[in-house]
């Protein structure tokens, strides 16, 4: 039987702020455990939260970038549950009055445009981290509260995704948008971006969705894709056998590559949400929203389309260039600096710049070669030749020196002095009588051989075109 | 007159004029504490050593001619649910029995800045939940007018300390009447400021949307003096007002022209003790004689106030008290093979008293799925109706007068058997917390058996000056506040 797959995604992104959501503690990653804590984020008796304005603005920005309606009355709610990494045993989140509602993201799945609905965007605080000792017989766990209270934006989609490809494109597009608008560094390895998925299967064309399974704590995009593939086949098998899908929450076990039951729907928490009385509702000012909207740059989908129409590069190349804001900024910076064709710049960036970045595991922001330096190199290409240009590029990327410096220091300047070249040509002619004879007999390829010999002697520094002309002239004049 | 019987303002005048040293005041006070507190049990902890050290510092400042804070040298007691740095703050609960805060509450910090001297922490109903101070995990505080009787609660320790003259001033907290009611039962002046007037930072939360720090003083002038110091904007409390603090002391004296006093019929109905009613009627007569107009009022939604209060207060409490879980601080009870869930249960089962558990259970119930709309949400709506009742009333009147409590102090043990009756006794006070308005209680008579009767004056939001002024007028006309309990 054929099935429709219905997938929804909840994304948590750590917001890029200096301090936590409700206190002044630092949010820096990787410090010694519990060094970034205070009475507020440790939930000592008598403390109160104070909202971080920057985190609030970042959430508004996110909601706007995802085409949401911004609620003009925003409030926080307490989500009550007990867990040792949650100091207050409630999380300050939003439930009744989310910051943003009813948005969408436009996807381009293999050339097909598609819209995924955003149910809501809201702001909440992160929990701490349990650290389990390595010894398997240890009878304790430790808690690091450095992360407790770090601001998170939660983005909840509608159940609009129908296949894994869509999910993959969605995650990349969303990550890209968050990076473009600068609200999160989206570093998966530091837990800045985390996902929860919900998935159900129903008979193809059925009006009613099947029973939903939720999967928690997915720390990489790969894990999301793997667990969804696993769930689709698990649920399909059950349905084929005529069994029911149980409403439940499952956890993904990365090592054995299976999902396991965490709890049944009936066992799920009753979070007993109620409005947070320690914070005052925020009346969102229209003017304020507009001024935040002004700070949103051109988003990737739009930029992609513009690159294709304005610079006449392929859809595919435009896709790669707009993959990150900083890369597309880099590209446009280069375009502005040169009259060379954007196509040539694109080739350089995709083939050379990205290759080196990949090898060096670097981001474009930390790249040794600035747009100005790259353009300078490309403009020297006609003079120094492609092979040398690549060599110069490689040296530039290692040392950070500009092209003229590299050419000078490594003595890569092409031999352009005609007198020098002329004597070189005479030498080569003298040393290769056979080839000269062949050329005289009308064998054109002999000329290429002679030029090649000269290149060898000069280690590629001579301009082959000039050489060719001198050879032709000399051989024509020789008896 | 004996030193300890002076008001805070009087003792301070003596200190500033160098008729007496700060050190002498503290020594005298601790002598009295040592003599009387064993009868009253107002204090959970005392810190004589630090108090003396502080006194010496202030004496030093005085002799050097340095500027002094406005509460210089005044010994003050703090309810033990207000955090004091390096001083145990227990909430009268086993679960925080050995908890030492690493920080001062906003109000405590202000007191220190103004050179007040903190002498100790006073008893309360555990986590401020109760009206008798019998729900303390450590001790039962007694009413100085008759030690067989309760002092009221939950700030019973602070109330009893001031009336016993073993503190010149005291701070309490008022979530449903916990300052005004014990002030009434102990016969002193209890002030609950407007919600947002005083920062809650460092006040251990019971019901966040109603908690407010208030004061116990020997007269209205001292209340005005103390309010000025504890009020003001605090960037650490988002619900704190930015409104400027007034110079209350200089505005409380003087006559009124055509003061309009609201007398809500709902506050003088069934359940009110005859002697309390009579005392109030006499009080209203005194105002009338002084030119005030008495205006009959109706606050139609009052009958729902207690139910509304119970739902909102317990809901917030159930969540506020979730942090006492044995993980990070406070008591932890755990057997070696306990799971985390078992540790939570054991700690909380043994750490909390019955009244606290009752309210946590109630609160969790009213918030649970399927009940939220019927209880919490509905209560929030009624709360808004109550607010509009008062908005309407305050268009017609300048303040509202009622008994603080329908009855005077009851015997110890009498009310513990029936929690519902205890909740009902807060009927006149908890409306002010639901609505957020300020209220003051001051003595307005005594029963034949010699127990104090309190009168409550409620005012508009942030009009503390007005109710202090109305109270001051009564105090000058009557002098009930000057009567002292005989404690020998
Ligand atoms: Zn902190």
């Amino acid at each position: 039987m054929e099935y429709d797959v219905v997938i929804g995604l909840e994304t948590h992104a750590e917001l890029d702020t200096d301090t936590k959501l409700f206190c002044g503690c630092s949010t820096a990653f990787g410090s010694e455990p519990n060094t970034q804590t205070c009475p507020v984020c440790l939930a000592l008796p008598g403390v109160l939260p104070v909202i971080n304005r920057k985190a609030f603005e970042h959430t508004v920005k996110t909601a706007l970038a995802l085409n949401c309606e911004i609620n003009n009355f925003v409030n926080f709610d307490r989500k009550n549950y007990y867990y040792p990494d949650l100091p207050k045993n409630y999380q300050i989140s939003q439930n009744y009055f989310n910051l943003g509602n009813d948005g969408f993201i436009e996807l381009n799945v293999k050339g097909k445009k598609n819209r995924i609905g955003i149910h809501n965007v809201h702001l909440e605080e992160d929990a701490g981290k349990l650290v389990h000792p390595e010894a398997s017989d240890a009878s304790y766990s430790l808690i690091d509260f450095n992360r407790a209270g770090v601001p998170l934006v939660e983005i909840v989609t509608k159940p609009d995704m129908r296949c894994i490809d869509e999910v993959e494109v969605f995650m990349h597009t969303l990550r890209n948008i968050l990076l473009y608008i600068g609200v999160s560094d989206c570093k998966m390895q530091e837990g800045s971006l985390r996902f929860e998925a919900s998935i159900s299967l129903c008979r193809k064309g059925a009006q009613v969705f099947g029973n939903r399974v939720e999967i928690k704590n997915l720390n990489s995009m790969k894990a999301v894709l793997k667990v969804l593939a696993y769930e689709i086949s698990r649920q399909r098998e059950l349905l084929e056998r005529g069994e029911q899908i149980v409403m439940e929450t499952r956890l993904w076990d990365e090592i054995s590559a299976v999902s396991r039951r965490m709890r049944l729907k009936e066992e799920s928490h009753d979070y007993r949400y109620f409005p947070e009385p320690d914070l005052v509702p925020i009346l969102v000012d229209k003017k304020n929203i507009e001024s935040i909207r002004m700070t949103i740059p051109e988003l990737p989908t739009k930029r992609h389309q513009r690159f294709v129409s304005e610079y006449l590069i392929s859809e595919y190349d435009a896709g790669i260039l707009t993959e990150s804001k900083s890369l597309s900024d880099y590209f446009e910076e280069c375009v502005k600096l040169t009259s060379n064709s954007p196509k040539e710049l694109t080739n350089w960036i995709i083939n050379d710049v990205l290759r080196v970045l990949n090898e060096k595991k670097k981001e474009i922001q930390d790249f040794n070669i600035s747009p100005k330096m790259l353009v300078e190199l490309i403009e020297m290409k006609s003079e120094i030749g492609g092979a040398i240009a690549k060599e110069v590029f490689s040296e530039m990327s290692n040392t950070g020196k500009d092209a003229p410096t590299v050419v000078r220091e490594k003595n890569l300047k092409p031999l352009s002095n005609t007198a020098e070249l002329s004597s070189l040509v005479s030498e080569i002619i003298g040393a290769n009588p056979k080839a000269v004879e062949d050329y005289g007999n009308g064998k054109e390829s002999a000329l290429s051989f002679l030029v090649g010999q000269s290149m060898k002697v000069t280690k590629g520094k001579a301009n082959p075109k000039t050489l060719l002309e001198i050879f032709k002239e000399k051989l024509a004049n020789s008896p | 007159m004996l030193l300890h019987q002076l008001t805070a303002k009087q003792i301070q005048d003596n200190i500033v004029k160098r008729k007496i040293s700060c050190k002498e005041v503290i020594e005298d006070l601790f002598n009295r504490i040592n003599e009387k507190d064993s009868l009253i049990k107002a204090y959970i902890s005392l810190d004589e050593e630090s108090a003396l050290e502080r006194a010496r510092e202030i004496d030093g400042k005085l002799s050097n001619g340095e500027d002094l804070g406005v509460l210089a040298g005044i010994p003050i007691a703090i309810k033990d649910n207000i955090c004091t740095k390096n001083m145990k703050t227990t909430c009268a609960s086993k679960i925080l029995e050995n908890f030492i805060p690493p920080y001062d509450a906003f109000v405590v910090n202000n007191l220190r800045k103004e050179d007040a001297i903190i002498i100790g922490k006073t008893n309360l109903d555990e986590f401020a939940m109760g009206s008798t101070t019998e729900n303390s995990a450590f001790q039962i505080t007694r009413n100085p007018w008759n030690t067989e009787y309760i002092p009221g609660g939950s700030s019973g320790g602070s109330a009893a300390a001031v009336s016993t003259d073993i503190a010149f001033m005291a701070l309490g907290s008022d979530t449903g009447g916990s300052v005004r009611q014990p002030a009434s039962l102990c016969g002193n002046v209890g002030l609950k400021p407007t919600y947002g007037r005083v920062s809650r930072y460092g006040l251990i939360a019971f019901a966040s949307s109603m908690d407010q720090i208030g004061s116990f003083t020997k007269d209205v002038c001292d209340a005005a003096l103390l309010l000025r110091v504890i009020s003001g904007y605090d960037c650490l409390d988002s619900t704190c007002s930015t409104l400027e603090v007034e110079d209350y002391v200089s505005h409380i004296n003087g006559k009124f022209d055509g003061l309009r006093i609201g007398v809500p019929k709902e506050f003088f109905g069934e359940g009110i003790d005859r002697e309390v009613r009579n005392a109030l009627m006499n009080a209203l007569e005194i105002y009338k004689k002084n030119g005030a107009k008495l205006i009959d009022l109706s606050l139609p939604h009052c009958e729902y106030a207690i139910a509304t209060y119970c739902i909102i207060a317990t809901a917030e409490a159930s969540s506020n008290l979730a942090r006492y879980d044995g993980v990070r601080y406070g008591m932890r009870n755990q057997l070696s093979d306990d799971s985390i869930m078992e540790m939570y249960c054991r700690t909380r089962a043994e750490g909390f008293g019955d009244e606290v558990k009752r309210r946590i259970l109630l609160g969790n119930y009213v918030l649970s799925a399927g009940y939220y709309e019927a209880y919490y949400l509905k209560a929030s709506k009624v709360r808004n109706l109550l607010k509009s009742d008062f908005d309407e009333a305050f268009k017609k009147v300048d303040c509202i007068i009622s008994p603080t409590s329908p009855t005077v102090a009851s015997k110890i043990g009498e009310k513990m058997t029936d929690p519902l009756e205890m909740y009902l006794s807060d009927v006149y006070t908890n409306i002010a917390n639901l609505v957020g308005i300020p209220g003051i209680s001051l003595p307005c008579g005594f029963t034949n058996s010699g127990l104090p009767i309190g009168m409550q004056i409620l005012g508009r939001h942030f009009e503390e000056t007005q109710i202090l002024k109305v109270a001051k007028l009564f105090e000058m006309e009557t002098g009930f506040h000057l009567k002292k309990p005989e404690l020998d």
Side-chain angles (χ1 to χ4, degrees):
Chain A
M1 197 182 293
E2 282 205 70
Y3 295 96
D4 281 337
V5 177
V6 177
I7 300 168
L9 221 54
E10 288 179 18
T11 307
H12 286 98
E14 273 188 5
L15 290 172
D16 208 350
T17 56
D18 294 337
T19 55
K20 293 186 181 180
L21 185 49
F22 297 118
C23 64
C25 290
S26 163
T27 55
F29 178 80
S31 308
E32 283 293 300
N34 296 313
T35 51
Q36 288 162 190
T37 57
C38 72
V40 175
C41 55
L42 289 174
L44 259 52
V47 297
L48 297 168
V50 176
I51 182 93
N52 179 329
R53 173 176 281 270
K54 184 99 197 166
F56 184 80
E57 287 173 356
H58 274 349
T59 313
V60 172
K61 201 169 174 182
T62 307
L64 288 171
L66 302 181
N67 308 296
C68 287
E69 305 267 344
I70 306 293
N71 243 324
N72 48 19
F73 179 91
V74 174
N75 209 355
F76 290 87
D77 298 295
R78 290 189 185 174
K79 180 179 183 178
N80 295 285
Y81 66 95
Y82 281 80
Y83 205 70
D85 67 5
L86 189 66
K88 300 186 287 293
N89 285 319
Y90 60 80
Q91 179 194 30
I92 304 180
S93 177
Q94 297 188 293
N95 183 56
Y96 297 115
F97 294 96
N98 289 308
L99 198 146
N101 289 304
D102 242 344
F104 62 85
I105 292 188
E106 230 142 42
L107 301 186
N108 185 337
V109 187
K110 295 181 180 154
K112 226 184 98 212
K113 295 223 163 28
N114 195 3
R115 228 176 222 208
I116 303 300
I118 300 295
H119 184 272
N120 76 73
V121 170
H122 66 259
L123 176 58
E124 63 184 28
E125 57 179 336
D126 208 345
K129 226 164 70 184
L130 289 184
V131 183
H132 303 290
E134 274 172 32
S136 58
D137 59 344
S139 60
Y140 63 93
S141 292
L142 300 171
I143 316 171
D144 177 3
F145 288 108
N146 282 353
R147 209 180 62 184
V150 167
L152 293 176
V153 61
E154 181 171 344
I155 298 148
V156 183
T157 72
K158 295 177 179 168
D160 282 356
M161 284 169 271
R162 293 291 175 272
C163 64
I164 290 181
D165 284 349
E166 250 179 10
V167 175
E168 184 170 17
V169 175
F170 174 85
M171 290 189 294
H172 277 109
T173 309
L174 176 61
R175 178 174 183 271
N176 215 348
I177 291 173
L178 296 177
L179 288 170
Y180 260 68
I181 61 177
V183 297
S184 172
D185 63 16
C186 293
K187 288 183 181 156
M188 307 279 295
Q189 66 280 10
E190 294 180 8
S192 296
L193 197 60
R194 315 196 283 271
F195 300 96
E196 292 175 20
S198 68
I199 174 166
S200 67
L201 263 59
C202 62
R203 194 175 301 158
K204 198 159 188 65
Q207 295 297 307
V208 182
F209 293 162
N211 279 347
R212 217 159 57 131
V213 169
E214 290 178 23
I215 309 127
K216 286 220 178 276
N217 295 335
L218 300 164
N219 292 325
S220 70
M221 295 194 192
K222 263 192 197 129
V224 174
L225 301 176
K226 274 197 230 161
V227 79
L228 288 176
Y230 176 86
E231 271 300 306
I232 290 173
S233 67
R234 186 185 73 88
Q235 293 188 23
R236 179 177 287 146
E237 265 171 47
L238 285 171
L239 290 171
E240 304 268 88
R241 276 191 304 214
E243 288 179 39
Q244 279 277 321
I245 304 296
V246 188
M247 301 253 268
E248 62 185 349
T249 301
R250 298 176 74 87
L251 282 179
W252 175 240
D253 179 342
E254 186 76 54
I255 295 157
S256 11
V258 294
S259 70
R260 294 183 215 279
R261 171 172 302 165
M262 185 172 126
R263 57 173 177 252
L264 289 170
K265 169 89 176 152
E266 302 84 72
E267 301 158 355
S268 69
H269 290 295
D270 175 0
Y271 290 121
R272 304 187 307 278
Y273 281 105
F274 75 102
E276 166 58 276
D278 286 332
L279 291 168
V280 284
I282 302 170
L283 297 172
V284 186
D285 180 20
K286 282 246 154 50
K287 260 203 282 189
N288 220 334
I289 295 183
E290 287 318 305
S291 67
I292 294 173
R293 198 192 295 275
M294 300 296 283
T295 66
I296 297 178
E298 183 184 29
L299 293 178
T301 318
K302 223 165 169 202
R303 200 167 209 186
H304 183 150
Q305 288 161 1
R306 186 168 60 81
F307 277 14
V308 172
S309 58
E310 192 173 330
Y311 302 129
L312 307 173
I313 57 177
S314 72
E315 282 270 348
Y316 179 80
D317 288 351
I320 295 176
L321 288 178
T322 52
E323 183 67 22
S324 87
K325 176 168 185 297
S326 32
L327 186 65
S328 45
D329 284 346
Y330 186 93
F331 168 73
E332 286 214 276
E333 192 71 19
C334 292
V335 171
K336 267 188 233 153
L337 289 170
T338 180
S339 53
N340 276 29
S341 82
K343 178 71 198 150
E344 174 156 28
L345 282 168
T346 305
N347 289 341
W348 270 95
I349 290 175
I350 292 179
N351 298 330
D352 300 286
V353 175
L354 287 183
R355 178 182 46 81
V356 170
L357 288 177
N358 221 355
E359 281 167 12
K360 296 190 189 288
K361 300 203 176 354
K362 263 193 182 172
E363 299 291 328
I364 186 84
Q365 301 92 297
D366 315 317
F367 190 42
N368 265 339
I369 303 177
S370 70
K372 186 165 163 277
M373 288 158 73
L374 182 68
V375 165
E376 194 173 27
L377 169 65
I378 296 173
E379 284 177 346
M380 281 171 74
K381 201 184 106 182
S382 58
E383 194 189 335
I384 61 178
I388 290 180
K390 299 273 160 168
E391 195 185 331
V392 173
F393 176 83
S394 149
E395 183 64 16
M396 285 166 75
S397 71
N398 285 329
T399 61
K401 290 174 181 164
D402 62 11
T405 311
V406 172
V407 167
R408 193 176 59 244
E409 284 181 1
K410 301 209 102 186
N411 200 16
L412 292 169
K413 196 162 175 60
L415 294 167
S416 52
N417 183 321
T418 331
E420 248 175 81
L421 284 179
S422 177
S423 74
L424 170 76
V425 165
S426 302
E427 242 172 72
I428 299 288
I429 289 174
N432 294 281
K434 174 80 171 69
V436 174
E437 196 188 320
D438 286 351
Y439 178 73
N441 294 334
K443 205 173 166 191
E444 283 287 327
S445 63
L447 196 55
S448 310
F449 171 77
L450 290 170
V451 171
Q453 288 304 96
S454 329
M455 294 298 283
K456 218 171 172 180
V457 170
T458 61
K459 291 176 181 145
K461 277 190 285 179
N463 183 331
K465 249 189 205 162
T466 323
L467 275 175
L468 195 71
E469 267 153 38
I470 302 176
F471 267 115
K472 273 187 184 166
E473 196 188 305
K474 288 220 168 179
L475 291 171
N477 295 339
S478 68
Chain B
M1 203 180 217
L2 295 162
L3 206 53
H4 57 255
Q5 291 190 342
L6 299 179
T7 66
K9 184 83 185 63
Q10 288 164 343
I11 199 82
Q12 200 203 15
D13 286 345
N14 280 302
I15 292 171
V16 173
K17 289 181 187 140
R18 306 188 65 178
K19 288 186 184 159
I20 189 169
S21 75
C22 235
K23 183 168 162 281
E24 286 170 299
V25 173
I26 295 293
E27 281 168 353
D28 181 74
L29 185 68
F30 272 92
N31 282 338
R32 182 158 173 91
I33 291 172
N34 292 335
E35 196 183 310
K36 300 295 178 203
D37 195 44
S38 54
L39 297 174
I40 302 298
K41 295 192 162 52
Y43 286 99
I44 288 179
S45 59
L46 284 157
D47 193 354
E48 187 171 1
E49 208 176 302
S50 307
L52 276 171
E53 195 187 307
R54 225 21 220 131
R56 275 192 292 268
E57 278 170 29
I58 293 162
D59 284 336
K61 275 193 185 182
L62 254 170
S63 49
N64 294 336
E66 292 173 40
D67 281 347
L68 290 175
V70 301
L71 298 181
I74 300 176
I76 186 163
I78 313 276
K79 188 179 183 181
D80 210 18
N81 63 347
I82 298 174
C83 286
T84 42
K85 193 174 177 176
N86 301 332
M87 239 175 132
K88 262 202 270 184
T89 301
T90 68
C91 278
S93 178
K94 274 202 269 182
I95 214 156
L96 287 178
E97 189 165 4
N98 296 305
F99 177 69
I100 299 173
Y103 71 98
D104 271 334
F106 175 85
V107 288
V108 171
N109 192 33
N110 280 10
L111 291 178
R112 294 194 205 274
K113 274 196 297 201
E114 295 298 338
D115 293 329
I117 299 178
I118 292 160
I119 45 178
K121 306 296 293 284
T122 57
N123 197 24
L124 63 149
D125 287 300
E126 185 178 2
F127 282 99
M129 296 179 183
S131 316
T132 67
T133 315
E134 291 164 292
N135 297 316
S136 164
F138 309 132
Q139 66 207 37
I140 291 178
T141 298
R142 291 164 187 269
N143 192 312
W145 297 90
N146 185 333
T147 54
E148 302 284 294
Y149 284 72
I150 57 151
S154 65
S155 315
S158 284
V162 169
S163 285
T164 309
D165 290 328
I166 53 175
F168 286 86
M169 293 174 146
L171 288 186
S173 66
D174 189 317
T175 306
S178 284
V179 163
R180 289 160 291 155
Q181 186 257 21
S184 163
L185 271 45
C186 288
N188 56 44
V189 176
L191 174 67
K192 180 205 97 81
T194 309
Y195 184 80
R197 179 69 294 178
V198 179
S199 166
R200 293 182 294 119
Y201 193 81
L203 167 64
I204 299 182
F206 158 17
S208 314
S209 74
M210 296 186 280
D211 291 344
Q212 186 65 191
I213 290 172
S215 64
F216 295 91
T217 51
K218 298 180 183 182
D219 67 8
V220 174
C221 177
D222 279 0
L225 182 67
L226 184 49
L227 180 62
R228 170 119 205 228
V229 171
I230 60 173
S231 298
Y233 176 66
D234 175 12
C235 61
L236 295 178
D237 177 358
S238 313
T239 62
C240 195
S241 169
T242 52
L243 215 70
E244 215 183 310
V245 178
E246 289 168 52
D247 178 8
Y248 303 104
V249 179
S250 59
H251 289 108
I252 55 170
N253 289 302
K255 293 266 170 192
F256 288 95
D257 265 343
L259 175 71
R260 298 170 301 167
I261 296 175
V263 184
K265 60 173 196 235
E266 290 84 359
F267 285 13
F268 289 87
E270 248 174 86
I272 179 168
D273 187 280
R274 188 183 46 81
E275 284 180 288
V276 172
R277 189 191 173 86
N278 289 343
L280 259 293
M281 288 306 158
N282 292 336
L284 290 172
E285 270 315 304
I286 289 168
Y287 279 112
K288 213 169 155 185
K289 263 187 226 154
N290 279 277
K293 255 188 261 162
L294 303 183
I295 295 172
D296 288 332
L297 271 187
S298 175
L299 302 164
H301 296 96
C302 270
E303 59 172 309
Y304 307 112
I306 297 240
T308 306
Y309 174 83
C310 280
I311 290 167
I312 292 174
T314 57
E316 292 178 1
S318 69
S319 173
N320 282 332
L321 270 63
R323 68 187 60 190
Y324 309 111
D325 57 6
V327 173
R328 284 146 296 126
Y329 53 81
M331 186 179 110
R332 176 190 290 184
N333 260 353
Q334 181 179 30
L335 300 182
S336 60
D337 57 349
D338 270 358
S339 67
I340 181 90
M341 195 49 77
E342 285 163 330
M343 186 281 278
Y344 285 156
C345 293
R346 210 178 299 283
T347 299
R348 291 168 65 83
E350 291 170 31
F352 290 136
D354 285 348
E355 183 58 29
V356 171
K357 284 181 201 159
R358 187 178 296 130
R359 296 196 194 197
I360 290 174
L361 285 173
L362 251 173
N364 278 322
Y365 177 78
V366 299
L367 288 176
S368 54
Y371 296 102
Y372 175 79
E373 285 79 10
Y375 291 110
Y376 186 86
L377 206 59
K378 186 159 272 175
S380 306
K381 287 176 183 165
V382 176
R383 190 175 188 181
N384 285 331
L385 292 174
L386 278 164
K387 282 179 187 165
S388 33
D389 275 6
F390 275 84
D391 286 345
E392 280 308 306
F394 279 125
K395 283 178 190 162
K396 291 176 237 156
V397 301
D398 303 310
C399 66
I400 291 171
I401 287 186
S402 78
T404 307
S405 169
T407 54
V408 292
S410 57
K411 272 202 166 143
I412 287 168
E414 214 173 64
K415 278 195 182 169
M416 286 300 273
T417 47
D418 187 356
L420 190 61
E421 200 196 324
M422 187 171 77
Y423 300 155
L424 290 175
S425 70
D426 292 339
V427 57
Y428 302 140
T429 47
N430 58 33
I431 284 190
N433 302 82
L434 285 165
V435 177
I437 52 175
I440 190 167
S441 175
L442 69 162
C444 71
F446 291 84
T447 62
N448 287 332
S449 56
L451 291 169
I453 299 169
M455 165 171 74
Q456 173 178 248
I457 306 166
L458 299 173
R460 299 188 189 100
H461 287 98
F462 299 101
E463 290 195 356
E464 281 80 5
T465 304
Q466 172 84 345
I467 58 171
L468 285 165
K469 197 173 166 186
V470 175
K472 175 76 184 173
L473 177 81
F474 184 79
E475 202 178 76
M476 290 197 306
E477 293 291 320
T478 59
F480 289 115
H481 67 292
L482 297 173
K483 196 167 171 195
K484 297 278 177 189
E486 283 163 34
L487 256 175
D488 301 300

